[in-house]
Amino acid sequence: MEIFTPFIMCALFVLAAFCFWRLSVKLSSYAARKKILAGKGSAGKEATSVVLISHFGEFAVRPNVCVPIRTGKFHVYSKVDNIVVLPSCIAVVQVETLRGQIFCGSGAVWHQSLRLTNGTSQETDFDNPIINNERNIIALAQIFEREKITPPPIYNIILFSSDKVIFSVEAPAEVYTLSKAIEKMKALSSKKNAKEKKIPFKERLRIIRAIKKYSVSPAKAKAHNAKVMRAAAK
């Protein structure tokens, strides 16, 4: 029995370390969720990813993914804030941390108007996130085509991380505040959702493996894109 004692102690140590790690993840998830939903400050993209993981699990959420997309004779990498593989579909989530009033529409440029604490206002133009995220969906579809995966329904989700954001007009169907985006994705993943066909677990695993296979780190994506831009300029 004494021969096996070191192995037993090692196994117990590994189990304890795993339990502490899981506890730390859950505590950080809870803290991030509480902070964001309480509306305290501006939630960052990483914190929003943690909240999504706390709702849908680490298996389903692939945060900060850089995937290739072919444009002409070159391919570049497109950064996706979160890919959420739900039981019946995929949600491609672009996170916007802007606050204040958002002027949105079908044009290529949207506008933010934010009242600052000193009484002045900050006016900022930014690219239409719906159009940007459509590019990410195309990149994902190209991966599925290469891997001969029949693509499930893919949803374009634009998530504003502050629930206190105000839209100048009725927000497009793709645009949600944080709590509304979570409600939407939970509805899509619900067993009561008869609209979409359920994806078998093995197929979901295959989808996640394909995403991992083709994705690279943000640093590698940035370096590759810069190299492509230099080559295209010649």
Side-chain angles (χ1 to χ4, degrees):
M1 185 66 181
E2 292 181 359
I3 299 176
F4 297 101
T5 300
F7 296 99
I8 296 172
M9 293 298 294
C10 183
L12 290 174
F13 176 80
V14 171
L15 178 62
F18 176 77
C19 290
F20 279 118
W21 173 74
R22 291 292 299 172
L23 179 62
S24 67
V25 169
K26 286 186 178 295
L27 288 175
S28 62
S29 299
Y30 174 77
R33 187 193 301 188
K34 185 176 180 181
K35 175 185 176 182
I36 294 174
L37 295 180
K40 295 180 180 179
S42 177
K45 293 191 176 188
E46 290 184 6
T48 303
S49 295
V50 170
V51 172
L52 292 177
I53 291 171
S54 75
H55 280 282
F56 302 104
E58 294 171 84
F59 172 78
V61 182
R62 318 313 304 172
N64 198 23
V65 177
C66 295
V67 291
I69 181 170
R70 181 157 293 281
T71 56
K73 63 179 182 178
F74 297 105
H75 85 265
V76 295
Y77 284 95
S78 184
K79 183 177 176 298
V80 190
D81 292 331
N82 296 277
I83 299 174
V84 187
V85 183
L86 298 169
S88 59
C89 61
I90 296 175
V92 179
V93 182
Q94 177 164 325
V95 178
E96 296 291 342
T97 59
L98 299 172
R99 296 172 292 131
Q101 188 172 19
I102 304 298
F103 295 83
C104 51
S106 58
V109 178
W110 287 11
H111 184 79
Q112 174 204 32
S113 180
L114 176 65
R115 177 69 65 176
L116 302 176
T117 55
N118 61 7
T120 62
S121 62
Q122 174 182 298
E123 308 293 331
T124 306
D125 289 333
F126 62 101
D127 292 336
N128 183 334
I130 297 175
I131 297 175
N132 287 346
N133 211 30
E134 285 173 353
R135 173 187 172 91
N136 295 331
I137 291 173
I138 291 171
L140 198 58
Q142 289 179 354
I143 289 175
F144 295 154
E145 184 178 0
R146 291 176 195 170
E147 292 297 299
K148 295 181 172 55
I149 294 174
T150 302
I154 302 177
Y155 287 83
N156 187 341
I157 302 289
I158 308 302
L159 187 161
F160 280 82
S161 60
S162 172
D163 275 344
K164 295 184 178 181
V165 69
I166 300 171
F167 299 104
S168 61
V169 295
E170 184 177 354
E174 298 89 348
V175 177
Y176 302 86
T177 58
L178 174 61
S179 58
K180 292 297 183 183
I182 290 171
E183 286 179 16
K184 173 68 176 179
M185 286 186 278
K186 282 187 174 181
L188 290 172
S189 62
S190 171
K191 292 181 180 179
K192 296 179 181 179
N193 177 29
K195 183 179 178 181
E196 308 291 2
K197 183 180 178 181
K198 299 301 179 184
I199 308 170
F201 177 79
K202 286 185 178 180
E203 189 67 11
R204 277 188 281 158
L205 186 59
R206 190 180 172 208
I207 287 170
I208 290 171
R209 284 174 176 168
I211 294 170
K212 287 182 177 179
K213 177 181 176 180
Y214 287 92
S215 62
V216 300
S217 67
K220 187 173 181 178
K222 184 178 180 181
H224 174 85
N225 290 350
K227 184 178 179 180
V228 169
M229 288 182 66
R230 289 194 298 269
K234 291 180 179 179

